[in-house]
Amino acid sequence: MRSNNVMLHTITRIVTFTILAFSVYLFFAGHNNPGGGFIGGLMTASALLLMYLGFDMKSVKKAIPFNFTHMIAVGLLISIFTGLGSIGLGFPFLTQFDRYVTVPFLGEFHLTTALPFDLGIYLVVVGIALLIILTIAEDDA
Amino acid sequence: MTALHWATISPFLLAILVPFLYKYLRNIHTGWFVLALPVFLFIYFIQFLPVTSNGDVVKHTVPWVPSLGINFTVYVDGLSLLFLLLITGIGSLVVLYSIYYLSKKTESLNNFYVYLLMFMGAMLGVVISDNLIVLYVFWELTSLASSLLISYWFHREKSIYGAQKSMLITVFGGFAMLGGFSLLYVMTNTFSIRGIIEQAAIIANDPLILPAMLLILLGAFTKSAQFPFHIWLPDAMEAPTPVSAYLHSATMVKAGIYLVARLTPAFGGLPEWFWIVSAFGIFTLLWGSVSAVRQKDLKSILAFSTISQLGLIMSLLGLGSAALYYGTGTEAALYYSAATLAAVFHLINHATFKGGLFMAVGIIDHETGTRDIRKLGGLMAIMPITFTISLIGLAAMAGLPPLNGFLSKEMFFTGILRASELDIFNMQTWGLLFPVIGWIASVFTFVYCTIMFFKTFTGKFQPEKLDVKHVHEAPIGMLISPIILVSLVVIFGFFPNILSYTIIEPAMAAILPGLLDEGQRFYVNIYHWHGFNTELLMTIGVIGVGIFIYLTAKKWMQLNIYLKERDPLNYFYDQSLVGLIKGSTSVTQIQMTGLLRDYFAYMITFTVLLLGYTFVRYDVFAIDTTNVAVISPYMWILTLVFIAATLAVPFINHRITAIIIVGVIGFLLALFFAVFRAPDLVLTQLLVETVMVVLLLLAFYHLPELRKEKFTPRFNGVNLIISVAVGIFITVTAFSAFALSTSNGIEPISLYFVENSYTLAAGKNMVNVILVDFRGLDTLLEVLVLGIAALGVVTLIKLRMTGREDV
């Protein structure tokens, strides 16, 4: 049975993007302000959950064609390879590096290897939150 | 590895080959292949006779675990050689006998000979080892092999019972013995028996000597079936008769005797050793001979007779050890050593006549199908050779002239009479008991020998009671071994002195070293006629009273006690086993309730008690308020709300409310984090708590239909006490830890992070820098934990069994 939830749909469309944007902000702000991969990941997951609440499973899956199990694996791999990279350069596992880089037109950026590490965590957290909740929700036994 | 080492382990090597011989050479009885080895070993060991009779020893060492002082040292002196010859000699005869006793068609001979060889090798190892640990290893192997042999016919319940009993008792003793050996090592710092004997004078004053002695004697007594550990031996009679003849009369049960004799130089001369060994021995002698009279089964009679004779040897060893008290070359020492001489001589004699008797009984069993003396009778004419063998064996056992049993019995009386004259160890008051008990036991020995003889061979032949149709004499092959053994009985009876200086004297010198001056020898001269002395009168008395008792048999055989075959001690053994099982079951049932709640209660109570004990024991409780921060009013309010919410949880009787309250507590916690200035934690806590509540609600929604009743939390006083105790102790611990942290003066590591998070890691959010940079590995693994949890949820739900399947 499908009811015509115009209000919910409309608001979801707007709010989801707001939350997603906020989660991306949290993720990038992590190094110098409150935030980081874990919180960002959870926030993203809640944005996506909102979409699942607003629309039905099928259409959301069409919109977000991710396999969350793979997402967990990819996230873990990213984090581990960040760590392994430092071994390749002759440093202990998980040594982080940082550098100020000036990109033309965009200005100066402060890049650090903690970012890909955090990205891995972000992906894992998104993956597990959605995987757990969707698995339980989809279970009709 | 010298030839002696190879000789010791050769039975094990042959045992490996036996199954192949059995499988690929089915036409030949496997026993023939086995027979060659003990015969060869016997001949090999005989070559050592000149060496040991000169008073020399052979000693070779092969390191095994040198760092622990464990070396496979073979040591051959008079005592070892005596046992080596007994083991291989009687071993050969038993193997020969078993070839005719066990059919190659119906019996699994491979098992039998593997076990028998294993036993033989273990026994050789026991008597040849100079190292206590190696001795112990072989000792346990004899227990193992013995149990395997007793349960050879494992489909019989009684065999299993007997094997289990012998295993439990002998291994119990073996463990105790290991403890005793370890104590000896503590005292002397060596496992070598020679090394220990050299320090005998030093260890005599060590406080550990008594426990060591008791533990070792426990091992020796269990193995040698001394009272009250003798109960396994009658039940071991379920073994095939060759096994009974070999293990339970000639070899294994003498391992304990060997150990006592071997360690006499270390402990001898001490009153405790003297009293324990001789008192237990003499009592076993009496108990065994009295019990043997009651038996109706031929093998049981022989079993109790073995027990009694072992007691005799044991008590003589104990009495003889007193000689060591007097020291080198003294007249008294040599006078009292007569008991040891009797022990060694009787040891040999017992092996010969008891082996022969067991084999004779095996023949009777084999040919008539029964061993019950109430069914047997009148076999004299039917089985003349077996009759002769039994007659000689029984006469020797009863101590009749001119057989060797007579000589050793006379020497037993001599030894025991001389020992009773001792003026040490309180023997002035108790000394007379030994000859009296010994004499009474000898009377009973005479009685059961006559019972066994007359009930089996005289009277009326009763074929209707037997299952076998045609009772006839055994085949010649089966008779060879017992004939050889009883010939030895006769030969040693008529010419006892062929053993005197070849075997007996070297063995005595090994048991009682240091008694002789240089070049001196023990005076061993055994002859029949001592003149009219006390010993002779005692023997005449034994025969007279014994005949009288047998003639009045009709009267006392009606007595109630005569009808009871089983040893009353079995009752205690059985009851204690039953009690053990019942006790452990009930303890488990009380403790292992299967309720998770109870296990939680155990764990938490234990933790609290341990904590409480530590607090009291070390007096570490402390409150330090010097560093406490000022608490602002809104913190007080927040705390009160928090406490109120927490207190509410146990009283809620609706699940949804409980979930919501738990959520409230979580959000309050986030508020706390905010108050204590932890923005990252606030964000995480809020999000996680939200997810948690969602999941709890999902779980609630999925509760099974039938059980959807509302629940009310039950009040449980014990739970309340435990919870309060936990709360108090956590609080106390926290206070004390806080006080410690302010008083110990150690700077917290967080200062380092505060200073370096930007300079080293280029981040201003210190929490995040710690998470991804300073302590990144923790984060990585925590994320891994999350991933595993997610996959766990997926597998639990997606791969669910559809029911009825076996997990």
Side-chain angles (χ1 to χ4, degrees), chain B residues 302-616:
Chain B
L302 288 180
F304 277 105
S305 139
T306 304
I307 291 167
S308 133
Q309 308 273 321
L310 290 170
L312 184 152
I313 301 171
M314 193 66 94
S315 73
L316 284 174
L317 280 176
L319 295 171
S321 75
L324 284 168
Y325 178 84
Y326 291 98
T328 312
T330 46
E331 207 47 37
L334 297 182
Y335 183 69
Y336 295 122
S337 68
T340 309
L341 171 64
V344 176
F345 190 46
H346 194 70
L347 179 83
I348 302 166
N349 294 342
H350 176 249
T352 54
F353 64 67
K354 192 54 66 67
L357 281 174
F358 263 112
M359 290 176 185
V361 165
I363 290 170
I364 293 168
D365 186 16
H366 206 263
E367 301 305 328
T368 63
T370 184
R371 300 192 305 252
D372 194 326
I373 54 170
R374 286 163 298 195
K375 294 181 184 170
L376 292 167
L379 291 178
M380 196 197 294
I382 301 168
M383 305 171 81
I385 303 175
T386 314
F387 159 74
T388 317
I389 294 166
S390 307
L391 176 65
I392 297 171
L394 289 168
M397 188 153 79
L400 298 181
L403 301 164
N404 62 3
F406 168 72
L407 298 170
S408 54
K409 184 136 293 183
E410 292 276 282
M411 285 160 63
F412 163 63
F413 286 143
T414 310
I416 216 163
L417 282 171
R418 286 192 187 174
S420 67
E421 297 164 11
L422 278 170
D423 52 2
I424 51 169
F425 308 151
N426 280 333
M427 277 296 272
Q428 303 95 317
T429 38
W430 298 101
L432 200 62
L433 269 182
F434 282 92
V436 171
I437 297 177
W439 186 80
I440 297 172
S442 300
V443 171
F444 278 100
T445 308
F446 186 86
V447 172
Y448 68 70
C449 289
T450 47
I451 290 178
M452 196 171 156
F453 176 72
F454 287 112
K455 292 273 178 184
T456 315
F457 294 104
T458 63
K460 213 169 131 262
F461 182 54
Q462 304 154 300
E464 70 281 357
K465 287 189 182 172
L466 306 176
D467 302 331
V468 181
K469 289 273 157 58
H470 300 290
V471 179
H472 54 81
E473 184 58 273
I476 183 69
M478 214 183 234
L479 291 165
I480 295 172
S481 299
I483 287 174
I484 293 175
L485 282 171
V486 292
S487 319
L488 287 175
V489 170
V490 178
I491 292 168
F492 293 159
F494 280 109
F495 311 104
N497 287 321
I498 54 170
L499 295 175
S500 299
Y501 287 98
T502 47
I503 290 182
I504 298 175
E505 200 277 335
M508 268 185 85
I511 300 172
L512 303 172
L515 278 191
L516 301 170
D517 293 326
E518 198 66 36
Q520 200 185 359
R521 311 201 69 168
F522 283 106
Y523 177 69
V524 182
N525 199 8
I526 306 162
Y527 47 93
H528 279 267
W529 183 247
H530 301 260
F532 284 106
N533 54 12
T534 326
E535 292 92 323
L536 187 66
L537 290 176
M538 282 168 88
T539 305
I540 293 171
V542 164
I543 297 171
V545 177
I547 289 174
F548 172 74
I549 292 182
Y550 182 73
L551 289 179
T552 56
K554 283 230 168 68
K555 296 214 171 115
W556 53 262
M557 275 185 183
Q558 308 304 321
L559 289 174
N560 203 19
I561 182 127
Y562 175 73
L563 300 172
K564 282 188 181 137
E565 273 183 63
R566 299 277 290 166
D567 199 298
L569 286 172
N570 281 312
Y571 177 76
F572 290 104
Y573 170 81
D574 292 335
Q575 286 307 306
S576 61
L577 269 195
V578 171
L580 198 66
I581 293 165
K582 268 190 190 162
S584 50
T585 314
S586 62
V587 166
T588 315
Q589 274 170 353
I590 291 169
Q591 173 205 359
M592 294 287 161
T593 53
L595 294 175
L596 210 52
R597 195 180 54 220
D598 289 349
Y599 301 150
F600 266 124
Y602 298 154
M603 288 192 284
I604 292 171
T605 312
F606 180 73
T607 315
V608 166
L609 289 179
L610 198 67
L611 247 160
Y613 171 77
T614 317
F615 264 95
V616 174

Side-chain angles (χ1 to χ4, degrees), chain A residues 30-33 35 96 110 141, chain B residues 680 761-762 764-765 768 772 783 800:
Chain A
H31 220 53
N32 293 324
N33 290 303
Q96 310 286 22
H110 180 202
Chain B
D680 289 278
K764 288 174 190 153
N765 180 352
N768 202 22
V772 301
V783 171
R800 189 157 42 198

Side-chain angles (χ1 to χ4, degrees), chain A residues 10-118:
Chain A
T10 318
I11 291 177
T12 305
R13 275 179 195 139
I14 301 164
V15 169
T16 304
F17 280 100
T18 320
I19 301 177
L20 276 178
F22 182 55
S23 73
V24 173
Y25 162 73
L26 278 177
F27 171 67
F28 281 109
H31 220 53
N32 293 324
N33 290 303
F38 199 86
I39 305 165
L42 278 176
M43 203 58 105
T44 310
S46 39
L48 298 182
L49 274 180
L50 187 62
M51 283 172 71
Y52 278 104
L53 285 177
F55 305 94
D56 60 318
M57 286 280 185
K58 231 183 215 168
S59 34
V60 180
K61 270 198 175 156
K62 210 183 277 171
I64 321 168
F66 293 128
N67 181 332
F68 295 115
T69 319
H70 293 179
M71 197 185 246
I72 297 175
V74 169
L76 276 173
L77 282 177
I78 291 176
S79 296
I80 290 169
F81 277 114
T82 319
L84 288 178
S86 59
I87 292 188
L89 296 173
F91 292 93
F93 183 58
L94 272 175
T95 310
Q96 310 286 22
F97 306 96
D98 69 289
R99 178 167 297 171
Y100 289 91
V101 177
T102 314
V103 180
F105 309 114
L106 293 175
E108 192 181 50
F109 280 94
H110 180 202
L111 292 183
T112 152
T113 50
L115 189 72
F117 183 76
D118 235 7

